[in-house]
Amino acid sequence: PEANGVLRGCEPGGATGKEGAGTIAAAININASTSKFLMNVITIEDYKSTYWPKLDSAIDQLLTQSPGDYIPISYEQIYSCVYKCVCQQHSEQMYSDLIKKITNHLERVSKELQASPPDLYIERFNVALGQYMGALQSIVPLFIYMNKFYIETKLNRDLKDDLIKLFTEHVAEKHIYNLMPLLLEAQSTPFQITPSTMANIVKGLYTLRPEWVQMAPALFSKFIPNILPPAVESELQEYAAQDQKLQRELMQNGFTR
């Protein structure tokens, strides 16, 4: 401004009047952008075009990573995206997008399992279960603000419980009646699958739905404490016979006493 308060380039009839008008228009645009920035306004269009794509890409990587993989994402950036979207009242949309994203992923996983041959079925189910539960260890903390200020407050639920339920509904429930006979067969054939694989699956199934214990109590009791009724003195001989059978099987497979 000049001393009299008039902006340079805007004097009537001035040679630089058009340039001054352009300067004012630019200044107005800059001021508008600055105001928007200062107010931290995130429109639904901003969310769909900028924020959710970042979250979508990160979730993809977390859901498909193998144990020990390095994931080239910025957890701080993703955490910040979630925080800003929650503050701008986009929690409902973000929760809906997250559920849809993970549901689509689990439906693909289920179809891949359906195409698995019986000799690979147990191992592939174990990989799918372990990979998903591992992904939740990162996904749930990243969405902690949405969980605290939307899911817990307005829906009276918990994000981790919701995501575990998705795996139960879209994968485990669809495969439990094919998986359980294979597990029982593997149990009767020592070392058909590794003990760690059997333990992971049985414990995982119990976490997903404890009532599945009733399908194979003896199998679950080997990995979950207090599944069967307490031992009674009248059945001691039967327990001893089972122990001797196990020892014979171990010796037949190269283990010494």
Side-chain angles (χ1 to χ4, degrees):
E2 297 286 2
N4 59 4
V6 179
L7 287 173
R8 283 198 184 98
C10 294
E11 295 85 354
T16 57
K18 291 183 179 180
E19 294 178 3
T23 302
I24 292 176
I28 292 173
N29 289 335
I30 291 173
N31 288 338
S33 299
T34 303
S35 297
K36 180 179 178 181
F37 174 78
L38 292 175
M39 293 172 61
N40 286 324
V41 173
I42 299 175
T43 65
I44 187 63
E45 290 77 16
D46 294 333
Y47 166 82
K48 291 180 178 179
S49 64
T50 302
Y51 288 85
W52 176 250
K54 293 180 181 179
L55 299 175
D56 183 275
S57 177
I59 295 166
D60 254 337
Q61 294 182 63
L62 292 170
L63 287 172
T64 57
Q65 68 176 326
S66 298
D69 280 357
Y70 169 72
I71 304 299
I73 63 175
S74 170
Y75 286 87
E76 182 179 359
Q77 184 184 56
I78 301 305
Y79 186 87
S80 177
C81 281
V82 172
Y83 175 78
K84 291 176 182 178
C85 291
V86 170
C87 292
Q88 292 294 309
Q89 308 300 314
H90 296 301
S91 295
E92 182 176 359
Q93 182 66 52
M94 185 163 52
Y95 176 73
S96 175
D97 289 338
L98 177 63
I99 295 299
K100 182 178 179 180
K101 171 75 178 178
I102 294 183
T103 297
N104 290 338
H105 167 77
L106 292 176
E107 288 177 348
R108 290 193 299 270
V109 169
S110 181
K111 289 180 181 179
E112 292 172 359
L113 284 173
Q114 288 174 352
S116 297
D119 58 326
L120 299 177
Y121 193 92
I122 293 177
E123 188 59 45
R124 289 183 179 178
F125 184 91
N126 181 54
V127 170
L129 176 62
Q131 189 176 51
Y132 184 74
M133 292 303 183
L136 294 193
Q137 293 181 12
S138 295
I139 293 174
V140 172
L142 287 175
F143 286 85
I144 188 172
Y145 273 97
M146 182 182 71
N147 188 46
K148 182 175 181 61
F149 294 104
Y150 176 70
I151 302 175
E152 290 183 355
T153 304
K154 294 188 177 181
L155 304 182
N156 295 317
R157 297 203 302 268
D158 178 77
L159 178 60
K160 184 177 181 180
D161 292 342
D162 283 0
L163 298 185
I164 289 177
K165 184 178 179 181
L166 287 181
F167 188 91
T168 304
E169 293 177 348
H170 295 281
V171 179
E173 283 183 353
K174 294 180 179 180
H175 294 272
I176 187 66
Y177 294 105
N178 292 328
L179 179 65
M180 193 58 68
L182 293 175
L183 292 175
L184 293 172
E185 180 183 350
Q187 180 194 18
S188 63
T189 308
F191 310 107
Q192 180 175 332
I193 62 173
T194 64
S196 61
T197 296
M198 181 70 80
N200 290 339
I201 293 178
V202 171
K203 291 178 180 179
L205 293 175
Y206 183 75
T207 298
L208 297 177
R209 184 153 294 174
E211 56 265 34
W212 280 339
V213 166
Q214 304 305 319
M215 298 179 68
L219 174 62
F220 279 84
S221 68
K222 292 186 176 182
F223 306 97
I224 310 296
N226 303 319
I227 291 297
L228 296 178
V232 295
E233 185 177 354
S234 60
E235 297 179 356
L236 288 178
Q237 291 185 349
E238 182 179 347
Y239 301 146
Q242 292 176 356
D243 184 64
Q244 292 172 0
K245 179 183 177 183
L246 177 60
Q247 291 185 30
R248 288 195 300 270
E249 292 173 348
L250 290 172
M251 294 176 66
Q252 290 171 2
N253 286 275
F255 289 81
T256 59
R257 295 180 65 87

